[in-house]
Coordinates of all heavy atoms in Angstrom, one line a residue:
M1 N 31.8 135.1 159.6 CA 31.7 136.6 159.6 C 32.2 137.0 161.0 O 31.5 136.6 162.0 CB 30.3 137.1 159.3 CG 30.3 138.5 158.9 SD 28.6 139.0 158.5 CE 28.2 138.0 157.1
A2 N 33.2 137.7 161.1 CA 33.7 138.1 162.4 C 32.9 139.3 163.0 O 31.8 139.1 163.5 CB 35.2 138.5 162.3
K3 N 33.5 140.5 162.9 CA 32.8 141.7 163.4 C 31.9 142.2 162.3 O 32.3 142.5 161.2 CB 33.9 142.7 163.8 CG 33.3 143.9 164.6 CD 33.3 143.5 166.0 CE 32.9 144.7 166.8 NZ 32.2 144.4 168.0
T4 N 30.6 142.4 162.7 CA 29.7 142.9 161.7 C 29.2 144.3 162.0 O 28.7 144.5 163.1 CB 28.4 142.0 161.6 OG1 28.9 140.6 161.4 CG2 27.5 142.3 160.4
S5 N 29.4 145.2 161.1 CA 29.0 146.6 161.4 C 27.5 146.8 161.1 O 26.8 145.9 160.5 CB 29.7 147.5 160.4 OG 29.2 147.3 159.1
T6 N 26.9 147.8 161.6 CA 25.5 148.1 161.4 C 25.2 148.2 160.0 O 24.2 147.7 159.5 CB 25.2 149.5 162.1 OG1 25.4 149.4 163.5 CG2 23.7 149.9 161.9
E7 N 26.1 148.7 159.2 CA 25.9 148.9 157.7 C 25.8 147.5 157.1 O 24.9 147.3 156.2 CB 27.0 149.7 157.1 CG 26.7 150.1 155.7 CD 27.9 150.9 155.1 OE1 28.6 151.5 155.9 OE2 28.0 150.9 153.9
E8 N 26.6 146.6 157.5 CA 26.6 145.2 157.0 C 25.3 144.5 157.4 O 24.7 143.8 156.6 CB 27.8 144.4 157.4 CG 29.0 144.8 156.6 CD 30.3 144.3 157.3 OE1 30.3 143.8 158.4 OE2 31.4 144.4 156.7
L9 N 24.9 144.7 158.6 CA 23.6 144.1 159.1 C 22.5 144.7 158.3 O 21.5 144.0 158.0 CB 23.4 144.5 160.6 CG 24.0 143.6 161.6 CD1 23.6 144.1 163.0 CD2 23.7 142.1 161.4
R10 N 22.5 146.0 158.0 CA 21.5 146.6 157.2 C 21.3 146.0 155.8 O 20.2 145.7 155.4 CB 21.7 148.1 157.1 CG 20.5 148.9 156.9 CD 20.8 150.4 156.9 NE 20.8 151.0 158.3 CZ 19.7 151.3 159.0 NH1 18.5 151.1 158.4 NH2 19.7 151.8 160.2
K11 N 22.5 145.7 155.2 CA 22.5 145.1 153.9 C 21.9 143.7 153.9 O 21.1 143.4 153.1 CB 23.9 145.1 153.3 CG 24.4 146.3 152.6 CD 25.7 146.1 152.0 CE 26.6 147.4 152.0 NZ 28.0 147.1 152.0
V12 N 22.4 143.0 154.9 CA 21.9 141.6 155.0 C 20.4 141.6 155.3 O 19.6 140.8 154.7 CB 22.7 140.9 156.1 CG1 22.0 139.5 156.5 CG2 24.1 140.6 155.7
F13 N 20.0 142.5 156.2 CA 18.5 142.6 156.5 C 17.7 142.9 155.3 O 16.7 142.2 155.0 CB 18.3 143.7 157.6 CG 16.9 143.9 158.0 CD1 16.3 143.1 159.0 CD2 16.1 144.8 157.3 CE1 15.0 143.3 159.4 CE2 14.8 145.0 157.7 CZ 14.2 144.2 158.7
A14 N 18.2 143.9 154.5 CA 17.4 144.3 153.3 C 17.3 143.2 152.3 O 16.3 143.0 151.7 CB 18.0 145.5 152.7
K15 N 18.4 142.5 152.1 CA 18.5 141.4 151.2 C 17.4 140.3 151.5 O 16.7 139.8 150.5 CB 19.9 140.7 151.2 CG 20.1 139.6 150.3 CD 21.6 139.2 150.4 CE 21.8 137.8 149.8 NZ 23.1 137.3 150.1
Y16 N 17.2 140.0 152.7 CA 16.3 138.9 153.1 C 14.9 139.4 153.3 O 13.9 138.8 153.0 CB 16.8 138.1 154.3 CG 18.0 137.2 153.8 CD1 19.3 137.7 153.9 CD2 17.8 136.0 153.3 CE1 20.4 137.0 153.5 CE2 18.9 135.2 152.9 CZ 20.2 135.7 153.0 OH 21.2 135.0 152.5
A17 N 14.8 140.6 153.9 CA 13.5 141.2 154.2 C 12.7 141.5 152.9 O 11.4 141.4 152.9 CB 13.6 142.5 155.0
S18 N 13.4 141.7 151.8 CA 12.7 142.1 150.6 C 12.2 140.9 149.8 O 11.6 141.0 148.7 CB 13.6 142.9 149.7 OG 14.8 142.2 149.3
K19 N 12.5 139.6 150.3 CA 12.1 138.4 149.5 C 10.6 138.3 149.4 O 10.1 137.8 148.4 CB 12.7 137.2 150.2 CG 14.2 137.1 149.9 CD 14.8 135.9 150.5 CE 16.3 135.8 150.2 NZ 16.7 135.3 148.9
G20 N 9.9 138.6 150.5 CA 8.4 138.4 150.4 C 7.7 139.4 151.4 O 8.3 139.9 152.3
G21 N 6.4 139.6 151.2 CA 5.6 140.4 152.1 C 6.2 141.8 152.1 O 6.6 142.4 151.1
D22 N 6.2 142.4 153.3 CA 6.7 143.7 153.5 C 8.2 143.7 153.3 O 8.9 143.0 154.0 CB 6.3 144.2 155.0 CG 6.7 145.6 155.2 OD1 7.6 146.1 154.6 OD2 6.0 146.2 156.0
P23 N 8.7 144.6 152.4 CA 10.2 144.6 152.1 C 11.0 145.2 153.3 O 12.2 145.1 153.3 CB 10.3 145.4 150.9 CG 9.1 146.2 150.8 CD 8.0 145.5 151.5
N24 N 10.3 145.8 154.2 CA 11.1 146.4 155.4 C 10.9 145.6 156.6 O 11.4 146.0 157.7 CB 10.6 147.8 155.6 CG 10.9 148.7 154.4 OD1 12.0 148.7 153.9 ND2 9.9 149.4 154.0
Q25 N 10.4 144.4 156.5 CA 10.2 143.6 157.7 C 10.6 142.1 157.4 O 10.3 141.7 156.3 CB 8.7 143.5 158.1 CG 8.0 144.9 158.4 CD 8.2 145.3 159.9 OE1 8.1 144.4 160.7 NE2 8.4 146.5 160.1
L26 N 11.2 141.5 158.3 CA 11.6 140.1 158.2 C 10.5 139.2 158.7 O 10.1 139.3 159.9 CB 12.8 139.8 159.0 CG 14.2 140.0 158.5 CD1 15.2 139.5 159.6 CD2 14.5 139.3 157.2
S27 N 10.0 138.3 157.9 CA 9.1 137.2 158.4 C 9.9 136.2 159.1 O 11.1 136.1 158.9 CB 8.2 136.7 157.3 OG 9.1 135.9 156.4
Q28 N 9.2 135.2 159.7 CA 10.0 134.1 160.4 C 10.8 133.3 159.3 O 11.9 132.9 159.6 CB 9.0 133.2 161.2 CG 9.8 132.3 162.0 CD 8.9 131.8 163.2 OE1 7.8 132.3 163.5 NE2 9.5 130.8 163.9
C29 N 10.2 133.1 158.2 CA 10.9 132.3 157.1 C 12.1 133.1 156.6 O 13.2 132.5 156.4 CB 10.0 132.1 155.9 SG 8.7 130.9 156.1
E30 N 11.9 134.4 156.4 CA 13.0 135.2 156.0 C 14.2 135.2 157.0 O 15.3 135.1 156.7 CB 12.6 136.6 155.7 CG 11.7 136.7 154.4 CD 10.9 138.0 154.3 OE1 10.8 138.8 155.2 OE2 10.4 138.2 153.2
L31 N 13.8 135.3 158.3 CA 14.8 135.3 159.3 C 15.6 134.0 159.3 O 16.8 133.9 159.5 CB 14.2 135.5 160.7 CG 15.1 135.4 161.9 CD1 16.1 136.6 161.9 CD2 14.4 135.3 163.2
K32 N 14.8 132.9 159.2 CA 15.4 131.5 159.2 C 16.5 131.4 158.1 O 17.6 131.0 158.3 CB 14.3 130.5 159.0 CG 14.8 129.1 159.1 CD 13.6 128.2 159.2 CE 14.0 126.7 159.4 NZ 14.5 126.1 158.2
E33 N 16.1 131.9 156.9 CA 17.0 131.8 155.7 C 18.2 132.7 156.0 O 19.4 132.3 155.7 CB 16.2 132.3 154.5 CG 16.9 131.8 153.2 CD 16.1 132.2 152.0 OE1 14.9 132.6 152.1 OE2 16.7 132.2 150.9
L34 N 18.0 133.9 156.5 CA 19.1 134.8 156.8 C 20.1 134.2 157.7 O 21.3 134.2 157.5 CB 18.5 136.1 157.4 CG 19.4 137.3 157.6 CD1 18.6 138.6 157.7 CD2 20.2 137.1 158.9
I35 N 19.6 133.7 158.8 CA 20.5 133.1 159.8 C 21.3 131.9 159.3 O 22.5 131.8 159.4 CB 19.8 132.8 161.1 CG1 19.4 134.1 161.8 CG2 20.6 131.9 162.1 CD1 18.7 134.0 163.1
E36 N 20.5 131.0 158.6 CA 21.2 129.8 158.0 C 22.3 130.1 157.0 O 23.3 129.5 157.0 CB 20.1 128.9 157.4 CG 19.3 128.2 158.4 CD 18.2 127.4 157.9 OE1 17.9 127.5 156.7 OE2 17.6 126.6 158.7
K37 N 22.0 131.2 156.2 CA 23.0 131.5 155.1 C 24.1 132.4 155.6 O 25.2 132.3 155.1 CB 22.3 132.0 153.9 CG 21.4 131.0 153.3 CD 21.0 131.3 151.9 CE 20.2 130.2 151.3 NZ 19.2 130.7 150.3
E38 N 23.7 133.4 156.4 CA 24.7 134.5 156.7 C 25.4 134.3 158.1 O 26.5 134.8 158.3 CB 24.0 135.8 156.7 CG 23.2 136.1 155.4 CD 24.1 136.4 154.2 OE1 25.3 136.7 154.4 OE2 23.6 136.3 153.1
F39 N 24.7 133.6 159.0 CA 25.2 133.5 160.3 C 25.2 132.0 160.8 O 24.5 131.7 161.8 CB 24.5 134.3 161.3 CG 24.5 135.8 161.0 CD1 23.5 136.4 160.3 CD2 25.6 136.6 161.3 CE1 23.6 137.8 159.9 CE2 25.7 137.9 161.0 CZ 24.7 138.5 160.3
P40 N 25.8 131.1 160.0 CA 25.7 129.7 160.3 C 26.2 129.3 161.7 O 25.9 128.2 162.2 CB 26.5 129.0 159.2 CG 27.4 130.1 158.7 CD 26.7 131.4 158.9
N41 N 27.0 130.2 162.3 CA 27.5 129.9 163.7 C 26.5 130.2 164.8 O 26.7 129.9 165.9 CB 28.8 130.5 163.9 CG 28.8 132.0 163.7 OD1 27.9 132.5 163.0 ND2 29.7 132.8 164.2
V42 N 25.4 130.9 164.4 CA 24.4 131.2 165.4 C 23.5 129.9 165.5 O 23.2 129.3 164.5 CB 23.4 132.3 164.9 CG1 22.2 132.4 165.8 CG2 24.2 133.6 164.9
P43 N 23.3 129.4 166.7 CA 22.5 128.2 166.9 C 21.2 128.2 166.1 O 20.5 129.3 166.2 CB 22.3 128.2 168.4 CG 23.3 129.1 169.0 CD 23.7 130.1 168.0
K44 N 20.9 127.2 165.4 CA 19.8 127.3 164.5 C 18.7 126.3 164.7 O 18.5 125.7 165.7 CB 20.3 127.3 163.1 CG 21.2 126.1 162.7 CD 21.5 126.2 161.2 CE 22.5 125.1 160.8 NZ 23.9 125.5 161.0
A45 N 17.8 126.1 163.6 CA 16.7 125.2 163.5 C 15.8 125.3 164.7 O 14.9 126.2 164.7 CB 17.2 123.8 163.4
S46 N 16.0 124.5 165.8 CA 15.0 124.6 166.9 C 15.0 125.9 167.6 O 14.0 126.2 168.3 CB 15.3 123.4 167.8 OG 16.7 123.6 168.3
T47 N 16.0 126.7 167.5 CA 16.1 127.9 168.2 C 15.6 129.1 167.4 O 15.5 130.2 167.9 CB 17.5 128.2 168.8 OG1 18.4 128.3 167.7 CG2 17.9 127.1 169.7
I48 N 15.4 128.9 166.1 CA 14.9 130.1 165.3 C 13.7 130.7 165.8 O 13.5 131.9 165.9 CB 14.7 129.7 163.8 CG1 16.0 129.2 163.2 CG2 14.1 130.8 163.0 CD1 16.9 130.3 162.6
D49 N 12.8 129.8 166.2 CA 11.5 130.3 166.8 C 11.8 131.2 168.0 O 11.1 132.2 168.2 CB 10.7 129.1 167.3 CG 10.0 128.3 166.2 OD1 10.2 128.7 165.0 OD2 9.3 127.4 166.5
A50 N 12.7 130.7 168.9 CA 13.0 131.5 170.1 C 13.7 132.8 169.7 O 13.3 133.9 170.3 CB 13.9 130.7 171.0
V51 N 14.6 132.8 168.7 CA 15.2 134.0 168.3 C 14.2 135.0 167.7 O 14.2 136.2 168.0 CB 16.4 133.7 167.3 CG1 16.9 135.0 166.6 CG2 17.5 132.9 167.9
F52 N 13.3 134.4 166.9 CA 12.3 135.3 166.3 C 11.4 136.0 167.3 O 11.2 137.2 167.3 CB 11.4 134.5 165.3 CG 10.5 135.3 164.5 CD1 10.9 135.9 163.3 CD2 9.2 135.4 164.9 CE1 10.0 136.7 162.6 CE2 8.3 136.2 164.2 CZ 8.7 136.9 163.0
K53 N 11.0 135.2 168.3 CA 10.1 135.7 169.4 C 10.9 136.8 170.2 O 10.3 137.8 170.6 CB 9.6 134.6 170.3 CG 8.6 133.8 169.7 CD 7.8 133.0 170.7 CE 6.8 132.0 170.1 NZ 7.4 130.7 169.8
E54 N 12.2 136.5 170.4 CA 12.9 137.5 171.2 C 13.1 138.8 170.4 O 13.0 139.9 170.9 CB 14.3 136.9 171.5 CG 15.1 137.8 172.4 CD 16.5 137.3 172.7 OE1 16.8 136.2 172.4 OE2 17.3 138.1 173.4
M55 N 13.3 138.7 169.0 CA 13.4 139.9 168.2 C 12.1 140.7 168.1 O 12.1 141.9 168.1 CB 13.9 139.5 166.8 CG 15.3 139.1 166.7 SD 15.8 138.8 165.0 CE 17.5 138.4 165.2
D56 N 11.0 140.0 168.0 CA 9.7 140.6 167.7 C 9.1 141.3 168.9 O 8.2 140.8 169.5 CB 8.8 139.6 167.0 CG 7.5 140.3 166.5 OD1 7.5 141.5 166.4 OD2 6.5 139.6 166.3
K57 N 9.7 142.4 169.3 CA 9.4 143.0 170.6 C 7.9 143.5 170.6 O 7.3 143.5 171.6 CB 10.3 144.3 170.8 CG 11.7 143.9 171.1 CD 11.9 143.5 172.6 CE 13.3 143.2 172.9 NZ 13.5 142.0 173.6
N58 N 7.4 144.0 169.5 CA 6.0 144.5 169.5 C 5.0 143.4 169.0 O 3.8 143.7 168.9 CB 5.9 145.8 168.6 CG 6.2 145.5 167.1 OD1 6.5 144.4 166.8 ND2 6.0 146.5 166.3
N59 N 5.5 142.2 168.9 CA 4.6 141.1 168.6 C 3.7 141.3 167.4 O 2.5 140.8 167.5 CB 3.7 140.8 169.9 CG 4.6 140.1 170.9 OD1 5.3 139.1 170.7 ND2 4.5 140.6 172.1
D60 N 4.2 141.9 166.3 CA 3.4 142.0 165.2 C 3.6 140.9 164.1 O 3.1 140.9 163.0 CB 3.5 143.4 164.5 CG 4.9 143.7 164.0 OD1 5.8 142.8 164.2 OD2 5.1 144.7 163.3
G61 N 4.4 139.9 164.5 CA 4.7 138.8 163.6 C 5.8 139.0 162.6 O 6.0 138.2 161.7
E62 N 6.4 140.2 162.6 CA 7.5 140.5 161.7 C 8.6 141.2 162.5 O 8.3 141.8 163.5 CB 7.0 141.5 160.6 CG 5.8 141.0 159.8 CD 6.1 140.8 158.4 OE1 7.1 140.1 158.1 OE2 5.3 141.3 157.6
V63 N 9.8 141.2 161.9 CA 10.9 141.8 162.6 C 11.4 143.0 161.8 O 11.8 142.8 160.6 CB 12.0 140.7 162.8 CG1 13.3 141.4 163.3 CG2 11.6 139.7 163.8
S64 N 11.4 144.1 162.4 CA 11.9 145.3 161.8 C 13.4 145.4 161.9 O 14.0 144.6 162.7 CB 11.3 146.6 162.5 OG 11.8 146.7 163.8
F65 N 14.1 146.3 161.2 CA 15.5 146.4 161.3 C 16.0 146.7 162.8 O 16.9 146.1 163.3 CB 16.1 147.4 160.4 CG 17.6 147.5 160.5 CD1 18.4 146.4 160.0 CD2 18.3 148.5 161.1 CE1 19.8 146.4 160.2 CE2 19.6 148.5 161.3 CZ 20.4 147.5 160.8
E66 N 15.3 147.6 163.4 CA 15.6 147.9 164.8 C 15.5 146.7 165.7 O 16.4 146.5 166.6 CB 14.7 149.0 165.3 CG 15.0 150.4 164.7 CD 14.6 150.5 163.2 OE1 13.7 149.8 162.8 OE2 15.2 151.3 162.5
E67 N 14.5 145.9 165.6 CA 14.3 144.7 166.4 C 15.4 143.7 166.1 O 16.0 143.1 167.0 CB 13.0 144.1 166.1 CG 11.8 144.9 166.6 CD 10.4 144.4 166.2 OE1 10.3 143.7 165.2 OE2 9.4 144.7 166.8
F68 N 15.7 143.6 164.8 CA 16.8 142.7 164.3 C 18.2 143.0 164.9 O 18.9 142.2 165.4 CB 16.8 142.7 162.8 CG 17.9 142.0 162.1 CD1 17.9 140.6 162.1 CD2 18.9 142.6 161.5 CE1 18.9 139.9 161.4 CE2 20.0 142.0 160.8 CZ 20.0 140.6 160.8
E69 N 18.5 144.3 164.7 CA 19.8 144.8 165.1 C 20.0 144.6 166.6 O 21.1 144.2 167.0 CB 19.9 146.3 164.7 CG 21.3 146.8 165.0 CD 21.4 148.3 164.8 OE1 20.4 149.0 165.0 OE2 22.5 148.8 164.6
A70 N 19.0 144.9 167.4 CA 19.2 144.8 168.9 C 19.6 143.4 169.3 O 20.5 143.2 170.1 CB 17.9 145.2 169.5
V71 N 18.9 142.4 168.7 CA 19.2 141.0 169.1 C 20.5 140.5 168.5 O 21.3 139.8 169.1 CB 18.1 140.1 168.8 CG1 18.4 138.6 169.1 CG2 16.8 140.5 169.6
M72 N 20.8 140.9 167.2 CA 22.0 140.4 166.6 C 23.3 141.0 167.3 O 24.2 140.3 167.5 CB 22.1 140.9 165.1 CG 21.1 140.2 164.2 SD 21.1 138.4 164.3 CE 22.7 137.9 163.5
A73 N 23.2 142.2 167.7 CA 24.3 142.8 168.4 C 24.6 142.0 169.7 O 25.8 141.8 170.0 CB 23.9 144.3 168.8
K74 N 23.5 141.5 170.3 CA 23.7 140.7 171.5 C 24.3 139.4 171.2 O 25.2 138.9 171.9 CB 22.3 140.6 172.2 CG 22.4 140.3 173.7 CD 21.1 140.7 174.4 CE 20.0 139.7 173.9 NZ 18.7 140.0 174.6
L75 N 23.7 138.7 170.2 CA 24.2 137.4 169.8 C 25.6 137.4 169.4 O 26.3 136.4 169.6 CB 23.4 136.9 168.5 CG 21.9 136.4 168.8 CD1 21.3 136.0 167.5 CD2 21.9 135.2 169.7
M76 N 26.1 138.5 168.8 CA 27.4 138.5 168.3 C 28.4 139.2 169.3 O 29.6 139.3 169.0 CB 27.5 139.3 166.9 CG 26.7 138.5 165.9 SD 26.8 139.2 164.2 CE 26.2 140.9 164.6
G77 N 27.9 139.5 170.4 CA 28.7 140.1 171.5 C 29.2 141.5 171.0 O 30.3 141.8 171.0
Ligands
CA1 CA1 9.6 140.5 154.2
CA2 CA1 7.9 143.4 165.2

C-alpha cells in the first residue's frame, strides 16, 4: 500500500476494531492483525507491543482512531 488516505485508514481501522470488544477501539490483538495483514512492510512481531504503547496515548489499553491515525501517519511518512 503506497499512499494511504485518512478515509482508507478509517476503513481499515473499522474493519479490525469491530472484531471484538469495543467496535470503536483497537485492542492489541486487533492492532497486531491489522498491521500483519494490511501493512506487512511495517516492522512487526516484537515491535507490535512498542507500536501499541506509542499509539495508546491515554493508556486505556485500547487504541482509538485518533490515536491510530497519528502514529500511522508518522510510520508511513
Ligand atoms: Ca475492538
Ligand atoms: Ca487509548
Side-chain angles (χ1 to χ4, degrees):
M1 202 178 293
K3 192 85 176 149
T4 307
S5 69
T6 298
E7 193 179 335
E8 283 164 352
L9 275 183
R10 202 174 276 280
K11 273 188 215 154
V12 167
F13 178 89
K15 179 175 163 191
Y16 289 88
S18 62
K19 285 180 183 281
D22 188 328
N24 297 311
Q25 301 272 325
L26 274 182
S27 66
Q28 190 158 351
C29 285
E30 289 165 346
L31 176 71
K32 186 169 184 287
E33 200 177 345
L34 185 159
I35 289 181
E36 285 174 352
K37 295 197 175 147
E38 309 288 341
F39 301 97
N41 53 340
V42 170
K44 50 176 179 278
S46 59
T47 62
I48 296 274
D49 284 2
V51 171
F52 187 83
K53 286 198 187 89
E54 188 182 352
M55 284 184 177
D56 188 17
K57 292 279 183 229
N58 65 355
N59 287 310
D60 65 353
E62 303 243 51
V63 169
S64 66
F65 181 72
E66 288 69 26
E67 290 171 339
F68 172 74
E69 187 190 21
V71 174
M72 290 311 288
K74 204 161 66 179
L75 283 177
M76 297 185 303

